[in-house]
Amino acid sequence: MTKPTSGALARNAKPTVRPARPYFSSGPCAKPPGWSPDQLDTKVLGRSHRSGLGKQRLALAIELMRDMLELPDSHRIGIVPGSDTGAFEMAMWTMLGERGVTTLAWESFGEGWVTDAVKQLKLDPTVIRADYGALPDLGAVDWSTDVLFTWNGTTSGVRVPDAEWIPADREGLSFADATSAVFAYRIDWAKIDVATFSWQKVLGGEGGHGVLILGPRAVERLEGFTPDRPLPKIFRLVSKGKLAEGVFRGETINTPSMLAVEDAIFALQWAKGLGGLDTLIARSNANAAALDRIVEERDWLQHLAADPAIRSTTSVCLTLEGADEARIKAIAKLLEAENVAYDIAGYRDAPPGLRIWCGATVDASDVEALGPWLDWAWEETAT
């Protein structure tokens, strides 16, 4: 790709090639290539989720997630209400308070967990922050406390590089909000006691359902600690002092959307057919690399996360030189009107910029086709 020109000749010259699938939203994200609603298995619709068929389909979704994530037998996996937020708050409300708490925040969702810990649970946590585009000092974490963090900061494009900073002999529990990370990075599950995510990110699934992963130390906490707070029914994971094991076999706490479950099963089977986790990671990396090339060729476009070692390969956040929020919105609106890129303005709490989803359900060719259109929208909105 040649370096884009500017000025009168380039102005208003629309590119001729559009992305075949302009779905670059960071949640809900693009459906898997080839997806269509008529490919979903709908025989369970209209049936009880507690029927033999309903339980079988829920158990299949769990089995496929375990297989795709290469999750060890030591870790349980369950489908819970409320998307990733519901899953993470379920973990916080049921397990925090036995010891001190440390919260890490470098973007809006991490700040949300700080708010929950401080204002709702009244826990007086230690808060370690960093600005958008950076990571806090991971070496400053006190692992005698329970530690809450986002593996991949969806609204800042910053991720933890690995799990090396989490000690094997930690006293506290590690709580990872991994919703934009699972299926796109390798996660050392021995270092993770609690993880949460939703299907709507790297799998391109539907929203409304969360996934909760518990390691053995988290189960021990649930069975040995009773928090001094009321728990809504949908948060209750313990019955008569023991883990409600049924939740982790597909016996959901409340009624799930079986259509959303079938959609997740489709995405998981698509991923398995491609070759599994390694293939999903490779697809995300290829998409991020294609976007990196676009950024490198334009002096007005930069990554919000300047350090490649901590830069997300899924929710990639970009800044545009001198562009304020109004211009960002204008660019996003132009690209949507041209059916080139949907929903790519940065998150409302983040610095003004664009956010391009590069997860595994996106095709690298569509990312590549986006570059000339960014040039066109940049010129169109110039004053």
Side-chain angles (χ1 to χ4, degrees), residues 32-169:
W35 179 93
S36 65
D38 60 359
Q39 295 189 60
L40 302 185
D41 188 337
T42 57
K43 64 179 177 291
V44 74
L45 301 189
R47 298 288 305 276
S48 169
H49 64 295
R50 301 195 188 283
S51 67
L53 178 60
K55 289 181 181 179
Q56 184 230 344
R57 300 304 285 177
L58 286 158
L60 175 60
I62 290 171
E63 177 187 340
L64 287 167
M65 287 187 287
R66 178 178 295 280
D67 182 46
M68 284 296 304
L69 293 174
E70 301 176 9
L71 197 69
D73 292 340
S74 59
H75 285 57
R76 293 165 171 84
I77 182 168
I79 299 167
V80 300
S83 195
D84 176 64
T85 300
F88 203 81
E89 290 187 331
M90 176 184 287
M92 292 180 67
W93 260 249
T94 55
M95 282 180 259
L96 294 183
E98 190 261 357
R99 60 176 58 235
V101 177
T102 298
T103 56
L104 304 179
W106 60 88
E107 49 93 53
S108 60
F109 287 105
E111 282 292 344
W113 310 138
V114 173
T115 298
D116 278 1
V118 174
K119 294 186 177 181
Q120 305 302 323
L121 298 178
K122 314 293 186 184
L123 292 174
D124 192 24
T126 297
V127 181
I128 305 176
R129 289 186 170 92
D131 293 334
Y132 277 80
L135 267 183
D137 180 5
L138 301 180
V141 174
D142 177 3
W143 281 100
S144 69
T145 68
D146 294 330
V147 179
L148 283 60
F149 70 99
T150 53
W151 191 286
N152 185 105
T154 307
T155 67
S156 70
V158 172
R159 63 182 173 94
V160 295
D162 49 44
E164 292 301 312
W165 60 287
I166 304 174
D169 61 350

Side-chain angles (χ1 to χ4, degrees), residues 56-362:
Q56 184 230 344
R57 300 304 285 177
L58 286 158
L60 175 60
I62 290 171
E63 177 187 340
L64 287 167
M65 287 187 287
R66 178 178 295 280
D67 182 46
M68 284 296 304
L69 293 174
E70 301 176 9
L71 197 69
D73 292 340
S74 59
H75 285 57
R76 293 165 171 84
I77 182 168
I79 299 167
V80 300
S83 195
D84 176 64
T85 300
F88 203 81
E89 290 187 331
M90 176 184 287
M92 292 180 67
W93 260 249
T94 55
M95 282 180 259
L96 294 183
E98 190 261 357
R99 60 176 58 235
V101 177
T102 298
T103 56
L104 304 179
W106 60 88
E107 49 93 53
S108 60
F109 287 105
E111 282 292 344
W113 310 138
V114 173
T115 298
D116 278 1
V118 174
K119 294 186 177 181
Q120 305 302 323
L121 298 178
K122 314 293 186 184
L123 292 174
D124 192 24
T126 297
V127 181
I128 305 176
R129 289 186 170 92
D131 293 334
Y132 277 80
L135 267 183
D137 180 5
L138 301 180
V141 174
D142 177 3
W143 281 100
S144 69
T145 68
D146 294 330
V147 179
L148 283 60
F149 70 99
T150 53
W151 191 286
N152 185 105
T154 307
T155 67
S156 70
V158 172
R159 63 182 173 94
V160 295
D162 49 44
E164 292 301 312
W165 60 287
I166 304 174
D169 61 350
R170 61 194 175 280
E171 298 175 40
L173 300 181
S174 58
F175 290 71
D177 171 357
T179 197
S180 293
V182 291
F183 305 108
Y185 309 121
R186 285 209 163 268
I187 294 176
D188 183 353
W189 292 107
K191 300 290 186 71
I192 301 301
D193 299 306
V194 179
T196 64
F197 66 92
S198 65
W199 297 325
Q200 69 195 45
K201 297 293 185 176
V202 182
L203 292 178
E206 293 303 297
H209 298 73
V211 177
L212 175 66
I213 296 175
L214 300 179
R217 299 177 72 246
V219 174
E220 182 181 359
R221 172 71 62 83
L222 282 166
E223 294 182 340
F225 168 68
T226 301
D228 184 20
R229 65 181 69 97
L231 293 178
K233 180 179 179 180
I234 59 172
F235 281 7
R236 296 172 198 164
L237 292 169
V238 174
S239 177
K240 298 179 181 179
K242 293 294 183 182
L243 186 72
E245 295 283 3
V247 173
F248 304 93
R249 295 193 296 262
E251 298 171 14
T252 55
I253 295 173
N254 71 331
T255 305
S257 163
M258 295 307 296
L259 186 59
V261 171
E262 291 298 333
D263 188 69
I265 289 172
F266 176 90
L268 288 159
Q269 290 176 329
W270 163 79
K272 187 173 182 179
L274 286 181
L277 182 60
D278 285 341
T279 302
L280 294 188
I281 293 171
R283 284 180 63 89
S284 291
N285 289 344
N287 292 334
L291 189 54
D292 282 346
R293 291 191 292 272
I294 290 172
V295 173
E296 289 168 1
E297 292 164 356
R298 289 152 178 83
D299 56 10
W300 51 270
L301 195 58
Q302 295 87 33
H303 285 285
L304 180 58
D307 182 358
I310 62 169
R311 185 182 300 154
S312 172
T313 57
T314 57
S315 57
V316 184
C317 297
L318 307 176
T319 61
L320 287 67
E321 186 176 3
D324 59 11
E325 185 176 356
R327 189 174 184 187
I328 295 297
K329 287 182 177 180
I331 289 172
K333 185 176 180 180
L334 275 175
L335 295 175
E336 180 171 346
E338 291 289 336
N339 296 314
V340 167
Y342 300 145
D343 313 316
I344 65 169
Y347 194 73
R348 61 181 179 269
D349 295 333
L354 301 177
R355 183 171 55 158
I356 313 296
W357 183 255
C358 289
T361 56
V362 173

